[in-house]
Amino acid sequence: MRLDRTTSLLLIVDLQTGLLPAIDGGEQAVTEAAWLAGLSRMLNVPVWLTVQYPAGLGTVDPRLAAAAPAARRWEKVHFDAHQEPPFAKALGDLGRKQVIICGSEAHVCVLQTALGLLAADYRVYWLAEACASRRHDEARLARERVVAAGGIVVSADMVAYEWLERCDNEAFKAAHRDFLKPRATRPLRF
Amino acid sequence: MRLDRTTSLLLIVDLQTGLLPAIDGGEQAVTEAAWLAGLSRMLNVPVWLTVQYPAGLGTVDPRLAAAAPAARRWEKVHFDAHQEPPFAKALGDLGRKQVIICGSEAHVCVLQTALGLLAADYRVYWLAEACASRRHDEARLARERVVAAGGIVVSADMVAYEWLERCDNEAFKAAHRDFLKPRATRPLRF
Amino acid sequence: MRLDRTTSLLLIVDLQTGLLPAIDGGEQAVTEAAWLAGLSRMLNVPVWLTVQYPAGLGTVDPRLAAAAPAARRWEKVHFDAHQEPPFAKALGDLGRKQVIICGSEAHVCVLQTALGLLAADYRVYWLAEACASRRHDEARLARERVVAAGGIVVSADMVAYEWLERCDNEAFKAAHRDFLKPRATRPLRF
Amino acid sequence: MRLDRTTSLLLIVDLQTGLLPAIDGGEQAVTEAAWLAGLSRMLNVPVWLTVQYPAGLGTVDPRLAAAAPAARRWEKVHFDAHQEPPFAKALGDLGRKQVIICGSEAHVCVLQTALGLLAADYRVYWLAEACASRRHDEARLARERVVAAGGIVVSADMVAYEWLERCDNEAFKAAHRDFLKPRATRPLRF
């Protein structure tokens, strides 16, 4: 039930320029998703990004694009990304069963994708500080529903320390210097 | 575990004119139940309404009657609607297993009906913003009890987007224009 | 999972004169436990009362004694009443499997008795407004632990309406007049 | 599911002098862990202490060392103590299956150790008032995750009264005088 970096994937859902200004906690969601995307890059954990209806909702926030330049990108029409056959096929082929999910709106596309993944037997980890909706309380409701369906709520710090496992190697030292230490005193709403 | 409009029913319990003035959150319950009843109508999801002791508690709120003119109506003497044999029979005959429930009082008739439906193997979805009691905290207690019994807490937005599934068709465009967009900025207490 | 008055027992734990002044919410616990004890009497539901170390902690609060004059009383040395063999024997003989529990301290004797009853296959209903501790948050912790162990949190209103089941008989009319209506507007902390 | 002093172990994780000043609730964690360590000593419950990277994070807080002078100490490099083979071996040899866990950071080393113990079939009891992180809300998130994984949240008072079981012997009288009574009025955040 702990996260393992060799079986993890970070999935960032619909953090798009046209949607974010309306989202309560949207700035924090982008900052923390980008932070974890940066650490993912250092630790060779794949990052995937989705967008919904980009003509109306805009492109991926540029801070995420910068933090995860090699991220695979998916455009979707279903709110649940896993209902898009190429996405489901590629995810199955990748063979990573622990999906850390975040994005907006928490109670629409993030929730539906999380439920789709759980139904397809993935382990879903809900990144609390980076799942956001127009109404904060509706994001909380989504989080409670995911937990009731078998998902696990995590913070980015939890993910990082589980991926790192121990403190006596170079990977930890680099991650601590570049990621953990700068984040340690940042105030966050979970 | 996601909602499917072809297997859903919206059940609105006892939102009656004589009871509502005493209910904390009664106005919101009526507004949001009517909103979802309107969307149900557009998407061909049946809506059922119950009343308890209309001689003393009054008739269904007229805004609900207007939003769901074709709704089937039930008068009941048991607090649990499912203990009324004609109701249970008709619900079984309808063959829809996902029941979105809301109304008042959350901790009496809504709760008892939810527990009755769960015991009869229906999937129960508790519409958070439209379940209300005299005491708000007692409605919360009802919600927690339904979750512990296997019910699922949803918001009307969750229901709508799950019923709609995707954004690239006419059903979504119409629902977005008439329902989703006007509701997007409305403040709500869940 | 609903309460049935023919299989219910109300168990009031250690609401004693020498302990109550130190309890946050002790007054409410007594008032609401006495209210439900009165209704129990009307509906022929047995009420049991326990006391711990009466030499130091005093006798049962007189309002409870008045509300439940025929209540069976137990003096115990174990914090868990069910560890007292005569209590466990009498409870088994009574054959009622739904135990509504309340009293003080919520996180000591009420909790331990609840866990003992759950381990002995009773269904335990935690009466939220009448379980209290010195520290309110410690009573909340006890409640969460009981839920995690399989207990069900209820309010006295929930219990009453489940015992009554329907609104079209004399039992309901009497209970409504004497109990439900006078309580309807009382503010409560759950 | 109640605690039994003959099968319990108190495990205090990384309450170190160099880390504590940054921890929200660190003072309370030390005070309450030391309190329970003192009672453990009186009741012959073993206490174990861990430290992580003492060169950087300092030694065990001296109040804990004083309260548990005979405590077994472990230095670890994995965040999950149970991933250290000598620790896992010694714990298995001890044969005590109920582990009361506390310390800092709640969402890193305490959480990972708790999850490791649960995976190894120990019963884990999360001592609410003595599990702390830099961000209080992140400690809450850790607690919720442990509960979802099968852990049980307790207060030190709960532990004490479960270990003591009854009020009519010398062990209770001594524990009440030296531990329970002095703590009764202490304000605590859980």
Side-chain angles (χ1 to χ4, degrees), chain D residues 92-104:
Chain D
D93 290 348
L94 190 66
R96 291 180 171 245
K97 301 297 279 181
Q98 297 185 312
V99 181
I100 298 113
I101 196 169
C102 63
S104 70

Side-chain angles (χ1 to χ4, degrees), chain D residues 47-112:
Chain D
V47 180
W48 286 12
L49 296 162
T50 67
V51 289
Q52 183 90 9
Y53 180 46
L57 299 176
T59 57
V60 167
D61 185 279
R63 289 163 289 178
L64 289 169
R72 188 155 184 181
R73 298 193 180 207
W74 300 90
E75 196 175 318
K76 65 191 171 66
V77 294
H78 290 89
F79 307 122
D80 169 11
H82 195 258
Q83 280 192 280
E84 307 279 338
F87 180 99
K89 170 81 168 61
L91 188 62
D93 290 348
L94 190 66
R96 291 180 171 245
K97 301 297 279 181
Q98 297 185 312
V99 181
I100 298 113
I101 196 169
C102 63
S104 70
E105 287 198 66
H107 70 290
V108 183
C109 289
V110 189
L111 171 64
Q112 289 201 33

